[in-house]
Amino acid sequence: MKTAADTFDVMKIREDFPILHREVHRKPLVYLDNAATTQKPRQVIDAVSAYYSEINSNIHRGVHYLSEKATHAYEEARKTVQHFINAPSPEEIIFVRGTTEGINLVASSYGRQNIGEGDEIIVSAMEHHSNIVPWQMLCEEKKAKLCVIPINDEGEIIFEEFEKMLGKRTKLIAVTHVSNAIGTVNEIKKITAMAQQAGVPVLVDGAQAVPHLKTDVQNLGCDFYVFSGHKIYGPTGIGVLYGRRKLLERMPPWQGGGDMILSVTFDKTVFNALPYKFEAGTPHIAGATGLAAALDYVSRTGLEKISGHEQQLLSYATEKLLLLKGLRIIGTAKHKAAVVSFVIEGIHPHDIGTLADREGVAIRTGHHCAQPVMERFHVPATSRASFAFYNTTGEIDVLVSALEKIIHLFS
Amino acid sequence: MSEASELYQQVILDHNKNPRNYGDLPSHTHSSEGYNPLCGDHYHVYLIMDGDTIKDIHFAGTGCAISKASASVMTTLLKGKTRAQAEDLFKQFHDLVTSPVEQTPDEDALGKLAVFAGVREYPSRVKCASLAWHTMKAAVDKNGQAVSTE
Ligand SMILES: Cc1ncc(COP(=O)(O)O)c(C=O)c1O
């Protein structure tokens, strides 16, 4: 029987990514830092370049030809996003700078409006700092309380603890779909089902999920879903906030300016409808068109094939890495995305990162903007290899042999 | 790993594995704590000062090989030196790790410090190499106050 991965031609995909053919320190680049940001296919680079060389103009303002073209491209991009995550309507797609900005938007607008003294916001112990700090700031301002769902030794949410926490005072749950630090894929449907019973909205940080898993916000049952373009082969500086229309409509704008208003006098300003109410100022039009090109690329390739290939890389890497002396993997959840965080006894992650770099291998070392996760596993930092659909088992071999050399050097 | 070994020279690997003057100095007169929040490097530097002279110096803590070796080498250089001499060595070290890569370091003048010339190629690691020195200076100048690289 043919599996999805059999029909997946990774070499053909690599041809589309110009940067994968460059060298670093006179060695072929092995890019394994995809959780930080992904590389861009020619199709995305071309879309951005075509936008600037052919239709660059401001949107929703001019009646001239270019402005209409640019407006059309921008709004088509919104629809591409809508279909990609199966949102009910394009008005529920708000373009932002990235995940961080999307979460801050919800914290400033929904949060300030709906969270008060003594209320509780629940996050998990595996959140990225961008899904912790905005809520901490809000809690401080409103004298509300931030509650943290603990995770077990494998790096999975402890649902019994979550259930205990969920109560009358809970006003919002903000959790990541996939952990950037340890790769855990969270059971979002289980969380939203419990939250719904308690009548609490759920924000999902999808930064690490959309590039790897087929995402359907209606099926997930979440109220807000946020992700960054640059982590799914699109440009930096563009991201998406999906929100349920009912919630978005009731939320106040968070930034004031052009595009977000219907009319302005010094007595009264009338805010624009969704999604423009939340898009003050000239947006990243080129970024939106680039993001749409990226999502088209992923859709054409097929997320099932992508995740099939990435899961193969994950098991191959896990198996090979565990053969190395003194290596321990942090994060061993049953359901993981293609992220391997590890420590090697007696060698600091930063030394590993610097030495691997000399072999052309780009991995991330440090706390991965998730210091509470490092604390949970009692390590100051880890090294992290994170894979994308253009990575190969051959590249994992290069990583492993670089690590062998490093272990030898330090022995 | 030929190029990388320019940074990870045997001296550095050795000091990392067998750090000199490591551990608390119970009768210390001066101390400080240095922290690099970006990578979690965290050290204490303890000194026994006799007037202006460093009678003894120890360090303790955890971090990468570069930060640990630098702390270790520093303690071996500073024992018995005066405050002014220590500051002068710190300046030499600082000038070395922040000098342009093309510039050939004066190995004779630098002595043991010369092994850290390789750090110049890795701007992100200069802070690792400098942490112990900053901590030492804080201990001497502002006894008891912590320093941070950020
Ligand atoms: C899980 C997770 N959430 C949020 C972010 C923040 O994304 P951005 O920096 O694009 O706003 C990241 C990126 O590192 C992430 O991995």
Side-chain angles (χ1 to χ4, degrees), chain A residues 350-351 354-355 358 405 411, chain B residues 1 8 39 65 121-122 125:
Chain A
H350 282 142
D351 298 317
T354 296
L355 287 162
R358 298 310 299 204
K405 285 191 204 172
S411 67
Chain B
M1 214 162 279
Y8 290 85
C39 51
E121 272 194 64
Y122 305 85
R125 307 301 300 277

Side-chain angles (χ1 to χ4, degrees), chain A residues 35-37 97-103 126-131 176-181 205-209 226-231 236-239 364 368-369 384:
Chain A
T37 198
R97 274 196 301 140
T99 306
T100 304
E101 190 173 76
I103 296 171
M126 70 176 92
E127 299 307 316
H128 186 277
H129 293 166
S130 64
N131 202 23
T176 194
H177 197 165
V178 172
S179 155
N180 67 307
D205 172 353
Q208 298 293 342
V226 202
F227 68 94
S228 302
H230 71 95
K231 293 191 198 276
T236 54
I238 186 81
R364 172 85 185 265
H368 317 294
C369 296
R384 179 190 71 188

Side-chain angles (χ1 to χ4, degrees), chain A residues 3 17 95 99 112 183 198 234 278 345 372 382:
Chain A
T3 66
F17 290 76
F95 281 123
T99 306
R112 284 225 178 90
F278 294 109
E345 208 183 307
T382 71

Side-chain angles (χ1 to χ4, degrees), chain A residues 366-392:
Chain A
H367 54 57
H368 317 294
C369 296
Q371 280 179 327
V373 178
M374 301 296 112
E375 237 166 76
R376 168 65 181 79
F377 289 97
H378 313 293
V379 291
T382 71
S383 303
R384 179 190 71 188
S386 52
F387 308 108
F389 62 170
Y390 45 60
N391 289 125
T392 64

Side-chain angles (χ1 to χ4, degrees), chain A residues 2 35 66 72 76 117 127 132-133 150 182 188 210 215 223 236 238 245 254 369 377:
Chain A
K2 245 178 150 49
L66 289 184
H72 182 73
E76 283 303 306
E117 193 170 336
E127 299 307 316
I132 300 175
V133 184
I182 50 176
I188 297 299
V210 282
T215 300
D223 299 274
T236 54
I238 186 81
R245 181 192 293 270
W254 80 308
C369 296
F377 289 97

